[in-house]
Amino acid sequence: MKRRRDEAAEMEIVWQTPANPPERLDYIFRNGKRHVRPYYFEFISHVKNRWAGKTIVDLFTEEFKGRPYDYYVNAVQSGRIQVDGEMVPVSYIVQSSQKISHFVHRHEPPVLALDVSVLQKEPDVLTICKPASVPVHPCGQYRKNTVVGILQAEHGLAPLFPIHRLDRLVSGLLILARSASKADSFRQQIEAGMVQKQYIAKVTGVFPDDEQVVNVNVNYNAREGRSTVEVGNCCGNTPLKGKSACTKFTRISTNGTHSIVLCEPITGRTHQIRVHLQYTGHPIANDMLYLSEFAVDRSTKGLSADRAAANSGCSLPSSSPKSCVDEYCDDNSTVDFSIDPMCTNCPNLAPKGYDEDEEGLWLHCVRYSGPDWVYECPHPEWASHD
């Protein structure tokens, strides 16, 4: 950690870097959400060629739009933005490859306050039941509020190497290798097509009784954050942009309103199961991203996704919240954390722009199997029809 006196705030600040591990008391539990106590963090980047020639303030204002112009002016003047470890004037022109440090009061988005339960703990493999809404590893705004971060903070498990990925809003089985060599072994089997994957989903309507195989390309649009399917025309004159994708679906049960469906992806494209279910006319029943073309009365859906996740096989045991300090578990408590005078998120715990009503998907990974191994995860509560 780096210690220095912040000139604007006139206080001693301890700056964290990715080398500082998460700790149990970093987490605050409030109103069914797991928050991270805001902390000071150094973001490091290097000047790209297209940034060169811009002033340091213009660079941040144009490339990092989450904060206003005045904030960046103050950040440069106070030394919270530095170039090559040195303070610079607001008119400073950056050059290619220079190191830029941005010292921020970091607020991570909260996730659902569900236990990251360990299913199997072997010398070289760990399997867990991942709660919905928790990302697997540090990415974007998330660092401590991740599966890897929580396992390190609450179970002392590190290092860990996820061998497959689950989207943040998806729950279920996650396999983590405990060494890089074991991770490579798993990945080689996955790339060779030797691993079978099974998920279950709760979809709208009565899914067909016979097996459905969807074999249509999936095209992911990173700007929109969603995938679409592409079906070739009869003449084949228009080249397809998407990647080949295949998923096998089998109905497990139905109550006439929803169906529980076994999903077996043969390939692994972004949002493949979600968009292929949409293609069948039976999207996941609480998937707002892929329900856009379907009329849905959410009041008739039963449990909302976050309540359903709280009742799933990955939920916190009734005694688990008391494993943290009571002060931090009381939904109505006033939790102390440092209010930073320059921070654009303080005094709130969550960062600006966070969707407080975000839900977990009714999509759950239940089984992975390879040539000589099988790992499974309990089904969630929402997979049982009332």
Side-chain angles (χ1 to χ4, degrees), residues 38-352:
Y39 56 98
Y40 291 98
F41 188 79
E42 179 186 5
F43 280 103
I44 297 175
S45 59
H46 290 85
V47 178
K48 301 176 182 179
N49 288 334
R50 64 183 177 85
W51 296 356
K54 296 181 179 181
T55 68
I56 186 69
V57 172
D58 287 344
L59 186 162
F60 273 89
T61 303
E62 295 170 12
E63 299 292 336
F64 305 99
K65 301 181 185 295
R67 294 178 171 86
Y69 178 87
D70 289 345
Y71 165 84
Y72 289 123
V73 170
N74 291 335
V76 172
Q77 291 175 337
S78 66
R80 290 211 180 178
I81 292 177
Q82 298 182 5
V83 179
D84 290 332
E86 301 291 338
M87 292 182 63
V88 296
V90 293
S91 59
Y92 183 84
I93 305 294
V94 301
Q95 301 175 25
S96 181
S97 300
Q98 284 184 308
K99 172 189 167 184
I100 297 179
S101 296
H102 186 195
F103 299 93
V104 300
H105 193 233
R106 186 167 180 174
H107 292 239
E108 295 192 26
V111 298
L112 295 177
L114 304 174
D115 189 26
V116 178
S117 55
V118 174
L119 300 173
Q120 287 182 264
K121 188 176 180 181
E122 302 173 357
D124 54 359
V125 179
L126 182 77
T127 67
I128 62 105
C129 186
K130 180 184 110 53
S133 84
V134 184
V136 173
H137 49 70
C139 56
Q141 295 185 75
Y142 299 89
R143 187 172 79 91
K144 298 182 180 183
N145 243 354
T146 61
V147 169
V148 171
I150 293 168
L151 287 171
Q152 184 170 11
E154 298 186 349
H155 297 272
L157 292 167
L160 295 172
F161 304 86
I163 64 103
H164 65 103
R165 73 182 191 90
L166 292 180
D167 287 345
R168 188 173 62 82
L169 297 180
V170 177
S171 60
L173 176 68
L174 181 67
I175 306 170
L176 304 106
R178 304 184 71 178
S179 69
S181 59
K182 186 64 177 179
D184 288 340
S185 175
F186 272 121
R187 290 180 185 131
Q188 288 171 14
Q189 292 183 17
I190 292 173
E191 291 171 0
M194 302 167 66
V195 175
Q196 289 75 50
K197 300 161 280 186
Q198 293 185 347
Y199 295 72
I200 54 171
K202 185 174 184 177
V203 305
T204 60
V206 178
F207 198 84
D209 187 39
D210 54 323
E211 180 181 281
Q212 304 288 304
V213 178
V214 177
N215 194 357
V216 295
N217 284 23
V218 169
N219 186 20
Y220 179 67
N221 186 318
R223 181 178 296 274
E224 296 181 2
R226 60 176 291 164
S227 292
T228 54
V229 297
E230 292 182 332
V231 182
N233 58 36
C234 60
C235 301
N237 295 328
T238 304
L240 298 179
K241 298 179 181 178
K243 297 180 179 179
S244 61
C246 181
T247 314
K248 183 169 67 174
F249 299 107
T250 307
R251 191 180 81 190
I252 297 173
S253 63
T254 184
N255 64 1
T257 303
H258 298 114
S259 299
I260 304 300
V261 177
L262 176 67
C263 315
E264 299 176 274
I266 309 304
T267 52
R269 310 305 182 197
T270 301
H271 295 186
Q272 176 178 315
I273 293 174
R274 298 166 68 180
V275 73
H276 274 182
L277 282 169
Q278 181 195 50
Y279 177 77
T280 68
H282 300 275
I284 295 171
N286 69 342
D287 190 349
M288 294 299 104
L289 192 61
Y290 293 101
L291 277 167
S292 57
E293 298 176 14
F294 299 83
V296 176
D297 180 1
R298 299 196 66 186
S299 65
T300 66
K301 291 200 326 243
L303 283 175
S304 66
D306 53 351
R307 287 179 59 206
N311 291 327
S312 74
C314 301
S315 62
L316 278 166
S318 58
S319 60
S320 290
K322 296 305 177 184
S323 65
C324 56
V325 179
D326 287 345
E327 174 191 358
Y328 305 143
C329 297
D330 183 354
D331 286 352
N332 299 313
S333 67
T334 300
V335 181
D336 291 330
F337 66 90
S338 58
I339 303 297
D340 185 89
M342 288 187 61
C343 180
T344 56
N345 292 308
C346 283
N348 298 318
L349 263 176
K352 289 182 178 178

